[in-house]
Amino acid sequence: MINQELINPQSIVVVGGSNNVHKPGGRLVRNLLDGKYNGELYVVNARETEVQGVKSYPGVEDIPATDLAIISIPGKSCPAVVEVLAKEKA
């Protein structure tokens, strides 16, 4: 079922966002910024405090609740991230 948070999210987190726009996470952040996304934008990147001008959080545990997550990290790390997002950040 498609819900309002998917169609018109008020907040988005890019897990694995990067300053390098040649990486998938960097391109995602750049597209959201260039597309003038109006909601709250969060980035999770353990190595950066700021990604393309957006505050970066060290882990998904540290972000506020969010409507939509875009995950751009290696597959082996995804299950733990999804679990935290689904249980604590929904």
Side-chain angles (χ1 to χ4, degrees):
M1 175 182 352
I2 297 178
N3 58 28
Q4 190 62 28
E5 288 84 5
L6 183 59
I7 295 171
N8 187 24
Q10 299 302 304
S11 57
I12 297 175
V13 60
V14 178
V15 180
S18 173
N19 282 311
N20 183 344
V21 297
H22 299 291
K23 291 183 174 183
R27 174 55 43 200
L28 285 165
V29 173
R30 176 57 34 212
N31 287 343
L32 288 164
L33 293 171
D34 287 350
K36 303 202 184 340
Y37 171 68
N38 291 334
E40 293 293 324
L41 180 58
Y42 308 115
V43 175
V44 173
N45 181 315
R47 296 185 185 115
E48 302 284 345
T49 58
E50 188 175 287
V51 171
Q52 298 183 47
V54 178
K55 178 182 177 181
S56 178
Y57 294 84
V60 289
E61 302 84 3
D62 304 309
I63 63 169
T66 188
D67 288 341
L68 179 68
I70 304 172
I71 302 172
S72 182
I73 56 175
K76 66 182 180 183
S77 301
C78 288
V81 166
V82 169
E83 186 171 341
V84 170
L85 290 168
K87 289 183 178 179
E88 299 175 22
K89 302 302 175 178

